[in-house]
Amino acid sequence: MVRVQTDAIDPSALLAGFCRGRTDVGALASFTGLTRGATDGAGR
């Protein structure tokens, strides 16, 4: 799942919801980061 949004998120709640009731999940990795704004292509 990839989600880009401006609202605040609770990563632990998202991960808990994903794993709730599932016994087939052996491992789960997550990354929470920042995205850059749109550019005019400069710096490519």
Side-chain angles (χ1 to χ4, degrees):
M1 165 179 46
V2 174
R3 183 181 298 175
V4 177
Q5 64 186 48
T6 57
D7 298 332
I9 62 168
D10 180 353
S12 62
L14 290 172
L15 293 174
F18 176 77
C19 295
R20 187 175 299 117
R22 296 186 66 181
T23 59
D24 60 333
V25 177
L28 181 64
S30 67
F31 170 78
T32 302
L34 301 173
T35 60
R36 290 181 276 183
T39 66
D40 61 0
R44 287 186 175 187

